[in-house]
Amino acid sequence: MGFSMCLLFLLQQALAVLSFGVAQNPSGFASLTCGAPIGTSFKDKRTNITYSSDAPYIDTGIGRSIKSSYQSKSEQQTWYLRSFPQSSRRSCYTFNLTTGDNYLIRAIFLHGGYDNMPSTNFDLHLGPNKWATVSTAEETKAQTFEIIHTLTTNRLQVCLVKTVNSTPFISALELRKLTREAYKTDSGSLQTFLRADIGSFSNHYIRYGSGVYGADIRTENSLDNENESKVPKSVMATASVPTDPGAHMNISLTGLHQTLRFYIFLHFSEIEELNPNDTREIKVMYNGRLIIGPFNPKSLYTNTYFHEESGLNANGQCTFSLQKTASSTLPPLLNAMEVYMVTPLSQNETIAKEEQNNTMICSSQKGFKIFGIMETRNLTNHGLTGEIQEYISNLSSLQVLDFSNNSLIGSVLEFLAHMKSLKVINFLNGSIPTSLLDKVRSGLVSLR
């Protein structure tokens, strides 16, 4: 019988990406405890990562805290949260970054009994694209979402989008800059499906999902993990092998969609001292088909192999099998593995970049001007002041106009009723012109 393990869809247990156990926050890290008072800063005792208030990155929402009785059972970065009860629809964190950089983005949600409505449902967006749906039903159960994303512009927005009659909130938001070559794909971003420290000997907190499978081995020797993945040395210092030296290591994934594209990353390091006559040669099969190898894991060095697949086979199977070759005297070995779902972003930052090129926004006491041609203009939470000026009518293809959560003054102007393409308006202050009300009554325009 082969060695096997079944790995379920446990996003909330996928706790970290590979190089997080650092002594201080290096450049490219952002670790925000959402809703905490301005000036809040603390170092997590287990990871040595410093968390600070999210206030510099967002100017809407209300800071709240979870019940004190839950704090001893929760990570300190989730003791506060930011809720958005007044949000009309969309509330965003904005980060000014560098085009082409590669980031892991993690969002954590713990209701913690901050109000009497723990059952919530809202969407999490990355820029204009839906990333995930956040659905909470219990006060004490946290949800964690991770995605690896390469920036195509110099701005990143993480947004909470109201979809039903419930209040969006967020507990913690983390950004981790990766090397540009790490987790590189041809298209789409990578959403975490699972991450497993295969040979962990204990539950010691290393911000890397752990599990014990088969016979575990470990080394006290120093390892070299300076490849692109930078898996923590504490992870690579342990591994699993089949208890039966002649058996295979079979890894069955469940919870994947039939047609879903995904990437699997397998991390190997030879951590045993081999006898002169011993050799460990491994090949990796997927549903009976050779995909990696054969290869020999390097001694005390991290070797990372990755492979892309599309969904299950005709029998609904998704099984990876690590096998020794005919010439190998030792069984296969595995130190760690990761699986990521490919998440295509249909409205990507290229569109946003084109908007930046076609649009100029000038804020002043006399109002602002907008020039360009586009179908949608979402300026929610942009800190705009002044009055709406008629220059906006230059947007001849504009269909949706959203100026909510800004500091605009003045009445709704008559010219909006004469913009034939405009279908949705969300920003209204003061009286509404009769001509615009007539279009609303006839169903030609929707006011929010």
Side-chain angles (χ1 to χ4, degrees), residues 5 7 41 77 141 210 235 254 273 316 337 363 369 377 430:
M5 53 185 168
L7 298 168
S41 180
Q77 59 267 34
K141 188 175 181 180
S210 63
V235 172
T254 63
E273 294 185 14
M337 70 176 294
S363 178
K369 303 177 182 180
R377 182 68 263 179

Side-chain angles (χ1 to χ4, degrees), residues 113-135:
Y114 84 92
D115 67 9
N116 59 0
M117 294 180 289
S119 180
T120 61
N121 189 286
F122 54 91
D123 285 345
L124 176 64
H125 280 214
L126 195 61
N129 298 282
K130 182 179 177 180
W131 166 6
T133 295
V134 182
S135 181

Side-chain angles (χ1 to χ4, degrees), residues 66-92:
I66 67 173
K67 291 179 180 178
S68 57
S69 58
Y70 293 155
Q71 292 185 357
S72 62
K73 305 173 184 177
S74 308
E75 295 180 333
Q76 188 174 349
Q77 59 267 34
T78 64
W79 290 1
Y80 292 96
L81 58 90
R82 184 175 295 275
S83 69
F84 302 90
Q86 306 301 325
S87 174
S88 59
R89 186 168 184 267
R90 179 182 176 96
S91 304
C92 297

Side-chain angles (χ1 to χ4, degrees), residues 41 46 53 63 75 107 122 152 186 198 222 232 268 314 339 342 356 361 443:
S41 180
R46 294 177 293 185
S53 170
E75 295 180 333
F122 54 91
T152 56
D186 295 331
I198 303 298
S222 177
F268 302 89
V339 179
V342 176
Q356 291 174 359
I361 303 171

Side-chain angles (χ1 to χ4, degrees), residues 20 49 74 170 236 250 266 312 319 374 383 396 435 441:
F20 287 359
I49 293 175
S74 308
I170 185 170
M236 296 306 299
N250 295 324
L266 301 174
L312 316 179
T319 301
M374 64 194 71
S396 58
S435 57
R441 294 187 186 104

Side-chain angles (χ1 to χ4, degrees), residues 419-444:
M419 295 180 66
K420 295 181 180 180
S421 62
L422 194 57
K423 304 298 182 185
V424 178
I425 304 174
N426 184 10
F427 77 100
L428 301 180
N429 292 305
S431 60
I432 302 174
T434 301
S435 57
L436 187 56
L437 285 175
D438 289 340
K439 295 188 72 172
V440 172
R441 294 187 186 104
S442 63
L444 297 176

Side-chain angles (χ1 to χ4, degrees), residues 60-288:
T60 63
I62 300 173
R64 304 292 297 271
S65 59
I66 67 173
K67 291 179 180 178
S68 57
S69 58
Y70 293 155
Q71 292 185 357
S72 62
K73 305 173 184 177
S74 308
E75 295 180 333
Q76 188 174 349
Q77 59 267 34
T78 64
W79 290 1
Y80 292 96
L81 58 90
R82 184 175 295 275
S83 69
F84 302 90
Q86 306 301 325
S87 174
S88 59
R89 186 168 184 267
R90 179 182 176 96
S91 304
C92 297
Y93 289 83
T94 301
F95 302 88
N96 294 318
L97 303 171
T98 302
T99 302
D101 280 351
N102 198 19
Y103 276 85
L104 180 133
I105 305 151
R106 177 189 296 113
I108 304 173
F109 305 85
L110 176 64
H111 186 277
Y114 84 92
D115 67 9
N116 59 0
M117 294 180 289
S119 180
T120 61
N121 189 286
F122 54 91
D123 285 345
L124 176 64
H125 280 214
L126 195 61
N129 298 282
K130 182 179 177 180
W131 166 6
T133 295
V134 182
S135 181
T136 64
E138 301 176 22
E139 293 183 349
T140 59
K141 188 175 181 180
Q143 282 193 301
T144 300
F145 298 90
E146 289 184 351
I147 195 167
I148 295 175
H149 178 67
T150 300
L151 304 180
T152 56
T153 68
N154 60 3
R155 189 178 76 161
L156 172 70
Q157 284 195 316
V158 178
C159 303
L160 308 174
V161 179
K162 190 172 185 177
T163 56
V164 294
N165 190 26
S166 63
T167 300
F169 73 92
I170 185 170
S171 303
L173 183 59
E174 303 175 7
L175 270 64
R176 305 291 185 252
K177 185 178 178 181
L178 309 175
T179 65
R180 293 198 177 191
E181 296 301 318
Y183 305 96
K184 193 172 183 179
T185 65
D186 295 331
S187 62
S189 300
L190 298 179
Q191 189 169 174
T192 305
F193 183 79
L194 67 86
R195 184 180 297 114
D197 176 7
I198 303 298
S200 177
F201 271 71
S202 68
N203 291 324
H204 178 63
Y205 191 83
I206 53 175
R207 293 186 65 89
Y208 201 98
S210 63
V212 180
Y213 310 106
D216 299 315
I217 56 176
R218 70 190 308 170
T219 182
E220 302 298 332
N221 295 323
S222 177
L223 284 93
D224 183 351
N225 68 340
E226 293 304 315
N227 68 357
E228 294 296 340
S229 297
K230 297 187 182 300
V231 184
K233 292 182 179 180
S234 57
V235 172
M236 296 306 299
T238 62
S240 282
V241 296
T243 51
D244 178 356
H248 301 160
M249 294 180 68
N250 295 324
I251 304 169
S252 296
L253 303 180
T254 63
L256 287 170
H257 190 272
Q258 181 72 32
T259 60
L260 183 73
R261 290 173 56 217
F262 65 93
Y263 280 83
I264 182 168
F265 292 79
L266 301 174
H267 307 287
F268 302 89
S269 178
E270 181 56 78
I271 59 174
E272 288 190 309
E273 294 185 14
L274 304 187
N275 296 322
N277 296 327
D278 281 335
T279 181
R280 194 190 309 275
E281 189 175 60
I282 303 171
K283 61 181 180 180
V284 182
M285 314 290 290
Y286 176 68
N287 289 339

